[in-house]
Amino acid sequence: MIDLSRFPRVNLCHQPTPLEPLPRLSEQLGGPRIWIKRDDCTGLATGGNKTRKLEFLIGEALAQNAEIVVTQGAVQSNHVRQTAAAACRHGLACHALLEHRVPNTTDAYEASGNVFLDHLFGCTLEYRPAGLDMNAEAQQVVDRMNAEGRRAYMIPGGGSNETGALGYVVCAQELVAQAAERDMRIDWIVTATGSTGTHAGLVAGLYAAGADIPVMGVSVRQPRDRQVAAVHRLAESTARLLGAPGLPVEAIRVDDGYIGEGYGIPAPSTIEAIRTAARTDAILLDPVYSGKGFAGLLGLARAGFFGPDDNVVFLHTGGAVALFAYENAFQ
Ligand SMILES: *Cc1c(COP(=O)(O)O)cnc(C)c1O
């Protein structure tokens, strides 16, 4: 067990999240055996992967006596919605900068799904055009608030720094324990990878725990080389935080074949993956992240990448609230 007790932490997550088989999908594919780790069921405001990161980020914000957290994301950011919810739970204010990162959006995209919930949680919002360094923009807002005597705490986009990645160190430990309980070998973990904290935390946690399970990150935004470098940077610094020596870059695996036209634009394979997961095992994926991640899983399985008896765990990172903002993509 990795000792995380020195890091400030609050309780936000229903954990452990279930590890469940997907029998109908596994049968339809004719192998491998597909499992799903239900981080869409973390229990905070419709769930998702940011909940685990926020246990440590909000913990640190409270330890620093903050009164407001500031973060950023795309307009339909699941991270902003979960941060706004976590702030409510701990009596903090929340302010978010939303980037118009996705082109040609609908009215539903601008107002429904996560944006509707941001407002419901009382999060204050301001907007930015596409292409800025959004963490730098948010840091400027934090600096201005602090200069005005407010105690603001910066949470980077996706909650992806070493502190947030600790949430996925916890998840790595959970998966290792769940596999041991079932006397089951996990051959692969597959998940969507974006701002990198999930992928990096998982790899760092597995590495620090001495568990040799490969993680395939399905990129939702960046080409492979850039995503590998970004995930490696954070995985290595997170592993160091845990007292492990540097982490080899070979431990970072990324497939960039399922991005389609870009971030936030579902590809035909994304829509097919969302329909397949819904109609085989009644799993709700999202059009920006988990739909692309699952499309990667299906593509790899159909191409014979996995062994027929492998146990492949899809880490479901949540996001289904955004389906309501993307209804037009299913027509
Ligand atoms: C943020 C997010 C991801 C990506 O996780 P990162 O840690 O940013 O790489 C995947 N799925 C969903 C639903 C998300 O909201």
Side-chain angles (χ1 to χ4, degrees):
M1 281 294 274
I2 306 163
D3 181 14
L4 299 174
S5 61
R6 69 193 155 101
F7 301 104
R9 182 177 178 184
V10 297
N11 181 251
L12 292 169
C13 183
H14 295 176
Q15 52 198 325
T17 57
L19 176 65
E20 299 172 333
L22 291 185
R24 298 195 67 236
L25 179 71
S26 304
E27 191 187 315
Q28 196 186 84
L29 290 170
R33 280 190 291 272
I34 312 282
W35 298 73
I36 190 162
K37 173 71 170 161
R38 298 300 301 270
D39 273 20
D40 56 325
C41 300
T42 51
L44 178 71
T46 76
N49 62 340
K50 305 311 181 304
T51 308
R52 290 185 189 272
K53 301 177 181 186
L54 286 160
E55 290 203 334
F56 290 94
L57 292 161
I58 297 290
E60 191 172 86
L62 293 173
Q64 293 179 11
N65 200 26
E67 61 183 17
I68 182 167
V69 294
V70 176
T71 196
Q72 59 91 1
V75 172
Q76 279 296 332
S77 168
N78 301 301
H79 163 69
V80 168
R81 178 250 309 161
Q82 287 177 82
T83 302
C88 290
R89 282 272 286 271
H90 288 278
L92 296 165
C94 184
H95 182 72
L97 283 70
L98 298 184
E99 179 189 7
H100 287 292
R101 194 186 295 166
V102 178
N104 306 321
T105 57
T106 60
D107 289 349
Y109 180 89
E110 298 299 326
S112 182
N114 285 298
V115 180
F116 172 68
L117 296 183
D118 295 343
H119 287 296
L120 189 62
F121 291 123
C123 181
T124 51
L125 300 174
E126 61 182 293
Y127 287 84
R128 292 287 185 278
L132 297 174
D133 177 343
M134 286 295 289
N135 279 334
E137 293 291 311
Q139 187 62 53
Q140 275 181 25
V141 172
V142 167
D143 293 345
R144 196 180 66 231
M145 286 179 174
N146 284 330
E148 289 165 359
R150 299 192 73 188
R151 297 186 307 277
Y153 176 83
M154 164 81 182
I155 297 181
S160 286
N161 56 15
E162 291 78 6
T163 304
L166 292 175
Y168 274 86
V169 172
V170 173
C171 182
Q173 289 181 288
E174 238 177 71
L175 271 170
V176 169
Q178 286 173 318
E181 267 164 35
R182 290 176 169 78
D183 215 359
M184 164 190 164
R185 182 192 73 245
I186 299 176
D187 296 288
W188 281 93
I189 298 170
V190 178
T191 194
T193 182
S195 72
T196 75
T198 303
H199 189 177
L202 268 181
V203 172
L206 292 167
Y207 182 69
D212 192 17
I213 305 171
V215 179
M216 179 60 81
V218 182
S219 180
V220 302
R221 183 174 184 186
Q222 295 201 101
R224 185 174 172 281
D225 289 359
R226 279 168 58 194
Q227 189 68 11
V228 167
V231 174
H232 182 242
R233 214 176 302 126
L234 182 56
E236 182 155 65
S237 54
T238 305
R240 287 229 163 85
L241 189 61
L242 302 175
L247 186 145
V249 71
E250 292 71 34
I252 310 303
R253 296 169 176 85
V254 169
D255 189 330
D256 63 1
Y258 301 88
I259 300 171
E261 285 176 45
Y263 176 87
I265 307 171
S269 64
T270 321
I271 302 296
E272 193 252 345
I274 293 171
R275 289 212 167 97
T276 300
R279 292 174 190 185
T280 53
D281 290 289
I283 297 292
L284 287 177
L285 302 170
D286 83 278
V288 181
Y289 295 99
S290 56
K292 289 186 180 178
F294 204 79
L297 172 90
L298 293 175
L300 290 166
R302 288 168 183 156
F305 178 84
F306 306 112
D309 296 320
D310 278 1
N311 288 303
V312 178
V313 175
F314 179 70
L315 172 66
H316 190 337
T317 45
V321 157
L323 283 170
F324 301 98
Y326 276 89
E327 213 183 314
N328 68 312
F330 292 82
Q331 277 151 16

